[in-house]
Amino acid sequence: DDRSAVLVDCDSEHSAQLLKDWTRRRLRMKVTLEDISHDVAVVADLANTTPSLPPDARSIAELGSRGILPAVSAPPSQTALANAYRLRRWELGVAEGHAELQYGRSLPLETNAEGLYGVSFEKGCHVGQALTARTHFRGVVPQRRLPLPVAGRVSPTSARHAPPPAG
Protein backbone atom coordinates (compact mmCIF):
# COMPACT_ATOMS: atom_id res chain seq x y z
CA ASP A 1 0.00 0.00 0.00
CA ASP A 2 1.54 3.33 -1.05
CA ARG A 3 -0.78 5.41 1.12
CA SER A 4 0.64 7.36 4.02
CA ALA A 5 -1.08 8.80 7.03
CA VAL A 6 -0.56 11.88 9.16
CA LEU A 7 -2.02 12.02 12.65
CA VAL A 8 -2.80 15.44 14.11
CA ASP A 9 -2.73 16.08 17.86
CA CYS A 10 -5.28 18.84 18.42
CA ASP A 11 -7.61 20.16 21.10
CA SER A 12 -10.55 17.74 21.31
CA GLU A 13 -12.99 20.62 21.84
CA HIS A 14 -12.17 21.92 18.37
CA SER A 15 -11.40 18.79 16.38
CA ALA A 16 -14.76 18.83 14.58
CA GLN A 17 -14.26 22.46 13.50
CA LEU A 18 -10.67 21.74 12.41
CA LEU A 19 -11.83 18.77 10.33
CA LYS A 20 -14.56 20.92 8.75
CA ASP A 21 -12.10 23.75 7.94
CA TRP A 22 -9.47 21.41 6.48
CA THR A 23 -12.07 19.54 4.43
CA ARG A 24 -13.26 22.83 2.96
CA ARG A 25 -9.69 23.96 2.15
CA ARG A 26 -8.39 20.75 0.60
CA LEU A 27 -9.79 21.87 -2.78
CA ARG A 28 -8.95 19.17 -5.35
CA MET A 29 -6.25 17.41 -3.36
CA LYS A 30 -6.70 13.67 -3.29
CA VAL A 31 -6.62 13.27 0.47
CA THR A 32 -9.02 11.72 2.91
CA LEU A 33 -9.61 13.51 6.18
CA GLU A 34 -11.28 11.68 9.03
CA ASP A 35 -11.66 11.83 12.80
CA ILE A 36 -10.14 8.71 14.36
CA SER A 37 -10.00 10.06 17.91
CA HIS A 38 -12.04 7.11 19.19
CA ASP A 39 -9.27 4.72 18.00
CA VAL A 40 -6.23 6.57 19.37
CA ALA A 41 -5.05 8.33 22.53
CA VAL A 42 -2.54 11.12 23.06
CA VAL A 43 -0.12 9.98 25.75
CA ALA A 44 2.45 12.09 27.59
CA ASP A 45 5.20 10.55 29.72
CA LEU A 46 7.26 13.05 31.73
CA ALA A 47 9.68 10.35 32.89
CA ASN A 48 10.36 8.97 29.37
CA THR A 49 9.51 5.42 30.46
CA THR A 50 7.32 4.53 27.47
CA PRO A 51 9.69 3.31 24.73
CA SER A 52 7.09 3.65 21.95
CA LEU A 53 6.76 7.42 22.52
CA PRO A 54 9.07 9.93 20.80
CA PRO A 55 10.42 13.00 22.61
CA ASP A 56 7.90 15.83 22.78
CA ALA A 57 8.06 17.65 19.42
CA ARG A 58 8.54 21.00 21.13
CA SER A 59 12.11 19.95 22.03
CA ILE A 60 11.91 20.79 25.73
CA ALA A 61 13.46 17.88 27.61
CA GLU A 62 11.38 18.62 30.73
CA LEU A 63 8.19 17.77 28.78
CA GLY A 64 9.38 14.18 28.38
CA SER A 65 7.86 12.17 25.59
CA ARG A 66 4.48 12.53 23.91
CA GLY A 67 2.78 10.74 21.09
CA ILE A 68 -0.32 9.19 19.64
CA LEU A 69 -0.89 5.50 20.41
CA PRO A 70 -3.69 3.10 19.56
CA ALA A 71 -6.33 3.47 22.29
CA VAL A 72 -5.89 -0.17 23.31
CA SER A 73 -2.14 0.45 23.93
CA ALA A 74 -2.59 3.56 26.06
CA PRO A 75 -2.05 3.27 29.82
CA PRO A 76 -5.37 2.62 31.61
CA SER A 77 -5.40 5.73 33.80
CA GLN A 78 -4.25 8.94 32.15
CA THR A 79 -5.82 11.33 34.69
CA ALA A 80 -2.83 11.57 37.08
CA LEU A 81 -0.38 11.68 34.15
CA ALA A 82 -2.44 14.37 32.40
CA ASN A 83 -2.54 16.51 35.56
CA ALA A 84 1.23 16.18 36.08
CA TYR A 85 1.83 17.00 32.40
CA ARG A 86 -0.44 20.07 32.60
CA LEU A 87 1.37 21.36 35.69
CA ARG A 88 4.77 20.84 33.99
CA ARG A 89 3.56 22.75 30.91
CA TRP A 90 2.37 25.60 33.09
CA GLU A 91 5.70 25.67 34.97
CA LEU A 92 7.52 25.93 31.62
CA GLY A 93 5.11 28.48 30.10
CA VAL A 94 3.94 26.13 27.34
CA ALA A 95 0.37 26.93 26.25
CA GLU A 96 -1.85 24.25 24.74
CA GLY A 97 -5.48 24.04 23.65
CA HIS A 98 -8.11 26.65 22.88
CA ALA A 99 -8.48 28.02 26.41
CA GLU A 100 -4.77 28.83 26.62
CA LEU A 101 -3.99 29.71 22.99
CA GLN A 102 -7.20 31.61 22.14
CA TYR A 103 -7.33 30.62 18.48
CA GLY A 104 -8.03 33.53 16.19
CA ARG A 105 -7.25 36.10 18.90
CA SER A 106 -3.62 35.60 19.92
CA LEU A 107 -0.46 35.77 17.83
CA PRO A 108 1.96 32.81 17.65
CA LEU A 109 4.72 34.93 19.24
CA GLU A 110 2.51 35.71 22.24
CA THR A 111 2.32 31.99 23.01
CA ASN A 112 6.08 31.40 22.58
CA ALA A 113 5.49 29.35 19.42
CA GLU A 114 8.79 30.39 17.85
CA GLY A 115 10.75 28.82 20.73
CA LEU A 116 8.65 25.65 20.51
CA TYR A 117 9.27 25.09 16.77
CA GLY A 118 5.75 26.24 15.96
CA VAL A 119 6.82 29.10 13.67
CA SER A 120 9.46 29.15 10.95
CA PHE A 121 10.84 32.42 9.68
CA GLU A 122 12.71 30.59 6.92
CA LYS A 123 9.87 29.13 4.88
CA GLY A 124 6.21 28.78 4.25
CA CYS A 125 3.12 30.82 3.92
CA HIS A 126 0.46 30.83 6.59
CA VAL A 127 -2.40 32.98 7.75
CA GLY A 128 -0.93 35.87 9.71
CA GLN A 129 2.61 35.29 8.45
CA ALA A 130 3.25 38.93 7.54
CA LEU A 131 2.17 40.19 10.97
CA THR A 132 4.10 37.44 12.76
CA ALA A 133 7.29 38.10 10.76
CA ARG A 134 7.01 41.87 11.19
CA THR A 135 6.53 41.49 14.95
CA HIS A 136 9.48 39.10 15.17
CA PHE A 137 11.92 41.20 13.15
CA ARG A 138 10.98 44.43 14.96
CA GLY A 139 11.62 42.62 18.22
CA VAL A 140 8.51 43.94 19.95
CA VAL A 141 5.90 41.40 21.05
CA PRO A 142 2.93 43.27 22.59
CA GLN A 143 2.21 40.57 25.17
CA ARG A 144 3.65 37.16 25.94
CA ARG A 145 2.56 34.26 28.12
CA LEU A 146 5.21 33.42 30.70
CA PRO A 147 5.29 31.12 33.72
CA LEU A 148 4.59 32.86 37.01
CA PRO A 149 5.90 31.27 40.23
CA VAL A 150 3.18 31.08 42.87
CA ALA A 151 3.72 30.58 46.60
CA GLY A 152 1.67 27.72 47.97
CA ARG A 153 0.06 24.71 46.37
CA VAL A 154 -1.70 24.95 42.99
CA SER A 155 -3.43 22.05 41.29
CA PRO A 156 -4.99 21.84 37.81
CA THR A 157 -8.44 21.64 39.38
CA SER A 158 -7.98 24.70 41.59
CA ALA A 159 -6.14 26.88 39.07
CA ARG A 160 -8.29 28.87 36.69
CA HIS A 161 -7.20 30.37 33.39
CA ALA A 162 -8.39 33.91 32.93
CA PRO A 163 -8.00 35.36 29.45
CA PRO A 164 -6.13 38.65 29.29
CA PRO A 165 -8.30 41.77 29.34
CA ALA A 166 -9.33 43.02 25.92
CA GLY A 167 -7.63 46.10 24.69
Side-chain angles (χ1 to χ4, degrees):
D1 192 355
D2 63 346
R3 296 176 4 166
S4 59
V6 175
L7 301 178
V8 176
D9 174 0
C10 68
D11 189 341
S12 60
E13 290 181 39
H14 297 284
S15 61
Q17 184 63 44
L18 181 65
L19 182 61
K20 181 180 172 184
D21 290 347
W22 283 7
T23 299
R24 189 177 67 233
R25 289 185 174 98
R26 72 182 169 165
L27 302 174
R28 288 180 281 246
M29 289 187 289
K30 294 183 182 192
V31 296
T32 302
L33 304 170
E34 61 183 308
D35 180 358
I36 61 164
S37 58
H38 55 281
D39 297 330
V40 297
V42 175
V43 178
D45 179 4
L46 294 173
N48 292 316
T49 57
T50 309
S52 58
L53 292 178
D56 190 291
R58 293 167 287 201
S59 299
I60 298 176
E62 292 87 353
L63 286 175
S65 51
R66 178 183 171 98
I68 301 173
L69 297 177
V72 295
S73 304
S77 174
Q78 280 289 303
T79 305
L81 292 173
N83 288 340
Y85 178 76
R86 184 178 303 113
L87 283 174
R88 179 70 54 86
R89 281 191 314 95
W90 288 351
E91 290 170 354
L92 297 170
V94 177
E96 194 173 275
H98 179 71
E100 296 171 16
L101 293 172
Q102 299 176 350
Y103 301 131
R105 290 185 47 209
S106 60
L107 299 172
L109 300 181
E110 293 172 353
T111 60
N112 305 311
E114 78 281 12
L116 301 170
Y117 302 101
V119 174
S120 172
F121 297 103
E122 306 295 320
K123 63 171 180 85
C125 180
H126 57 83
V127 175
Q129 179 180 6
L131 177 59
T132 300
R134 186 170 55 247
T135 303
H136 170 71
F137 291 114
R138 285 187 179 164
V140 179
V141 179
Q143 61 184 12
R144 191 179 284 271
R145 292 194 172 85
L146 299 171
L148 176 67
V150 177
R153 183 173 164 83
V154 178
S155 71
T157 55
S158 66
R160 296 279 184 213
H161 173 268

